Amino acid sequence: MNPSKITLGTIELPSYSATGWSFRGLVDWWGQTADKAEIVERPQGHGAFPARGSLRTSRAISFIANCINGSQAAVESGFDDLSSVGAEGPVLMTVETPAGASWRVVKVESVKPTHHRGGSRYGVLAVDLIAPDPRRYADGAWQQTGPAVQSGGLVWPAVWPLVWPVSGSSGRVTLQNPGRAPSPAVFRLLGPFDSALITCVESGARVGFNRPVPAGSVVEISGRHAVIDGQSDVSRWLQFREWTDVPGGESRTFQFDPVGGTAAFMQGKVDPAWW
C-alpha cells in the first residue's frame, strides 16, 4: 500500500514534502484485528468448542511524522500543533490512496519526539493511535424520500390533451453497503413533523423520534444518538431503538412514516465499511 496523504484532525501530512509535514511507516490501517472470542478446548475430545459468533478487538494505528521548517523554533511550533490534535477527545483520521479515501475516528494515545537536536530544522515524531471501532469507512451517498403518497391515477374516459396526475411516492429509501463489513444506517429527518417512525422493511426493526420538529430544522440519527441542527443532543426522544446494520455487499430498505408532516423528508445513507 502506498498512501499519498494522512489527515489527522486539522493536520495534513503528505507522503513527501520538502518543507512542512510529511509521514512514513503507516501501520495497521488495513487488515483484520484479532478475534475476541475465547477458544475453549474440548477436555475429552478433539479440537475446541464452536465459537459463538465473532467480535473484533480495537485497532492500534501508528505512523512517523516528519517536520521540516526554517528554524528550530518553527519545528518546535509544529511539534506543538501536532501534539494538540486529539488531546481533548477523539478525532477523524483520513488516509488517501490512489484507490480513494477512507477514514476512522481515533483516540490519540501519544505523540512523542524521537529525533530533534538543538538548532535543527528537522524533527521526527512517533504518533500512536487507537481506533475503538476497527472498521474503515468511506463516505456514502445520501438518499431522500418524502412520506408515502398514493398516485392519483388517470381517470378514463380521458379528454385530450391528457393531463397526467402527480406520481406517488413509496416513502422508502434503499441503502446499499458496497463494503465488506457491516455498517450502520444514518438518517436525517427534516421538519416539519410531530413525530416520525423509521422501519427496516426486511427485518421490521424500528427507530422512532417522538418530538415535534419545526420547518427548517434537521434531526440526525447516527451512532445510536440524535442531534438537532448539529447542536443539541435529543437522544432522549428516540423510541424503540432497534438499530440496524447493513451487512457488507448488501442493502436494506427503510420506510419513513411521519405524523403531522406531509412536507417532511427523510435522508438516509450507509458509509461503506471494511475490516
Side-chain angles (χ1 to χ4, degrees):
M1 301 293 183
N2 185 27
S4 57
K5 186 170 72 171
I6 289 175
T7 302
L8 182 64
T10 58
I11 303 292
E12 294 185 357
L13 303 96
S15 59
Y16 171 79
S17 178
T19 59
W21 288 109
S22 62
F23 82 92
R24 56 184 169 86
L26 176 63
V27 175
D28 204 23
W29 188 255
W30 292 273
Q32 193 178 95
T33 58
D35 191 340
K36 293 194 290 186
E38 182 181 358
I39 300 298
V40 179
E41 296 292 339
R42 295 181 182 272
Q44 297 180 347
H46 298 294
F49 292 105
R52 296 182 178 179
S54 180
L55 296 174
R56 297 290 158 184
T57 62
S58 60
R59 184 178 295 272
I61 303 167
S62 63
F63 64 89
I64 300 298
N66 304 312
C67 185
I68 303 175
N69 275 313
S71 66
Q72 177 180 343
V75 170
E76 292 180 1
S77 178
F79 281 12
D80 292 339
D81 290 341
L82 187 57
S83 298
S84 68
V85 174
E88 298 182 358
V91 295
L92 185 68
M93 178 178 178
T94 302
V95 172
E96 297 180 29
T97 75
S102 58
W103 52 266
R104 290 185 172 94
V105 175
V106 298
K107 179 178 179 289
V108 180
E109 287 289 286
S110 66
V111 178
K112 296 180 180 179
T114 62
H115 176 81
H116 181 57
R117 297 190 301 270
S120 174
R121 54 186 289 269
Y122 173 73
V124 179
L125 301 98
V127 182
D128 294 317
L129 313 156
I130 294 292
D133 182 349
R135 290 169 289 188
R136 175 171 54 93
Y137 296 92
D139 290 334
W142 290 99
Q143 307 292 327
Q144 179 170 299
T145 184
V149 176
Q150 185 175 359
S151 173
L154 189 62
V155 179
W156 296 90
V159 178
W160 293 89
L162 294 178
V163 178
W164 293 93
V166 176
S167 61
S169 168
S170 66
R172 297 179 176 184
V173 293
T174 298
L175 307 181
Q176 296 182 337
N177 176 11
R180 298 294 181 269
S183 184
V186 180
F187 301 100
R188 289 175 180 166
L189 306 181
L190 293 72
F193 59 84
D194 296 329
S195 64
L197 180 67
I198 305 167
T199 305
C200 179
V201 173
E202 289 83 0
S203 67
R206 301 164 299 166
V207 176
F209 187 75
N210 190 18
R211 171 187 155 169
V213 174
S217 288
V218 179
V219 175
E220 180 160 324
I221 301 174
S222 173
R224 292 168 168 72
H225 298 281
V227 176
I228 189 167
D229 296 332
Q231 297 178 345
S232 303
D233 190 305
V234 288
S235 302
R236 59 179 168 167
W237 282 284
L238 289 171
Q239 292 184 311
F240 308 115
R241 299 172 182 261
E242 297 166 355
W243 308 103
T244 298
D245 282 357
V246 179
E250 297 186 21
S251 65
R252 293 290 184 269
T253 299
F254 296 89
Q255 177 78 44
F256 175 50
D257 292 307
V259 174
T262 57
F265 286 91
M266 178 183 76
Q267 296 175 341
K269 75 166 182 173
V270 171
D271 292 323
W274 296 266
W275 295 112

